[in-house]
Amino acid sequence: MSLKVIAFDADDTLWVNEPFFREAEEKFASLLEDFMPQHAIMKELYRTEIENLGLYGYGIKGFMLSMIETAMRISDHKVPVALVEKVINIGREMLEKPVELLPGVEEVLQSLNGDYRMVLATKGDLLDQERKLKKSGLEKYFHHIEIMSEKRTADFEKLIRHLDVQPSEFLMMGNSLKSDILPVLELGGHAIHIPFHITWVHEQVEHEVEHERFAKVTCIADAAELVKTMD
């Protein structure tokens, strides 16, 4: 069956995202190094983030709250108010970052536009993802925009049903094997992995993925030609 829909992840697939979190983590750890070694602070922050995912979801605002909670815990609630303000400013700076498109993104969207229904399928904070999409200038390429709280098999199943296509007519491109690739393959769809040089620990998959409907490219520019061979 021919492909009808091509869906794209956003963060670290279309534009830069994870390096901003790594930079923020380093700033945060530096602020609190009087209370604990920096590497230990980063581990504590990650633990807090994971514990809070069910409450705050993904995104910068949840990350800010996790930073504040971590600061309170590791300082035994002795962290100065001025330092908490600096932590908040780290998050505000992240929210104000410019959107940096990855090389080849717009060219790929232009080349595939018109031949397929194009969908943005990403997860994270609704307002922040809408902000980045608007700043990116890419909104005009997408037939549908889906901002999910999670990217599990059931979430993709709901999206595919909404688009009124069969899983075999759906292709997902993204940088996360865990969130973008494996759920779609499980449903019977196609997937192209476009690795980014930094991957959040929570999104890492240790095993190799081998599947007849799966392919991997080094950059998004290679994906457009590959789509034609998969169609």
Side-chain angles (χ1 to χ4, degrees):
M1 210 174 276
S2 297
L3 292 174
K4 293 182 179 178
V5 173
I6 299 180
F8 295 83
D9 173 52
D11 293 336
D12 299 320
T13 298
L14 301 181
W15 52 67
V16 176
N17 180 66
E18 187 60 24
F20 299 146
F21 280 87
R22 295 295 174 89
E23 179 186 350
E25 287 172 359
E26 291 174 3
K27 288 180 179 178
F28 174 74
S30 179
L31 282 176
L32 291 159
E33 61 183 353
D34 288 345
F35 298 100
M36 186 180 284
Q38 291 194 23
H39 71 277
I41 293 171
M42 289 187 182
K43 286 183 179 180
E44 286 296 314
L45 175 58
Y46 177 70
R47 179 165 71 90
T48 309
E49 286 182 84
I50 298 305
E51 289 175 353
N52 286 338
L53 278 180
L55 290 173
Y56 305 148
Y58 298 88
I60 295 172
K61 293 170 189 173
F63 179 67
M64 291 170 67
L65 290 170
S66 290
M67 284 195 292
I68 293 169
E69 183 179 331
T70 302
M72 298 295 288
R73 185 174 68 249
I74 68 176
S75 69
D76 195 24
H77 295 81
K78 295 174 183 175
V79 61
V81 173
L83 195 147
V84 174
E85 186 175 3
K86 289 180 180 179
V87 171
I88 293 171
N89 285 337
I90 290 173
R92 291 182 67 90
E93 288 172 7
M94 294 175 72
L95 289 167
E96 293 168 357
K97 290 279 189 184
V99 174
E100 181 183 337
L101 294 183
L102 290 167
V105 163
E106 189 146 22
E107 290 81 359
V108 167
L109 294 178
Q110 287 173 346
S111 69
L112 297 174
N113 192 35
D115 295 330
Y116 307 91
R117 272 190 283 165
M118 311 275 275
V119 170
L120 183 72
T122 191
K123 68 181 178 183
D125 177 75
L126 177 63
L127 288 177
D128 190 35
Q129 294 293 49
E130 287 180 338
R131 172 191 66 83
K132 287 188 283 188
L133 179 58
K134 185 175 181 179
K135 282 188 173 183
S136 74
L138 301 178
E139 191 171 6
K140 60 182 179 287
Y141 294 109
F142 296 110
H143 163 83
H144 177 76
I145 295 161
E146 190 82 10
I147 300 173
M148 311 174 187
S149 57
E150 268 290 1
K151 278 183 171 178
R152 294 164 296 210
T153 305
D155 301 297
F156 278 106
E157 186 175 26
K158 181 180 177 182
L159 171 61
I160 291 170
R161 189 167 59 247
H162 174 78
L163 294 169
D164 196 24
V165 295
Q166 296 300 313
S168 59
E169 299 170 320
F170 181 89
L171 167 67
M172 180 71 192
M173 296 191 196
N175 70 294
S176 171
L177 287 169
K178 180 180 177 180
S179 294
D180 300 319
I181 306 302
L182 296 178
V184 173
L185 293 177
E186 184 179 339
L187 286 171
H190 302 263
I192 297 178
H193 183 214
I194 311 168
F196 191 66
H197 68 280
I198 300 175
T199 303
W200 188 32
V201 175
H202 185 62
E203 293 290 335
Q204 291 177 6
V205 170
E206 298 302 326
H207 64 275
E208 289 292 323
V209 177
E210 294 184 8
H211 199 286
E212 60 183 4
R213 297 188 306 275
F214 169 76
K216 180 178 177 179
V217 295
T218 56
C219 64
I220 197 170
D222 296 333
E225 289 301 316
L226 182 58
V227 167
K228 296 173 185 177
T229 69
M230 299 176 75
D231 194 354

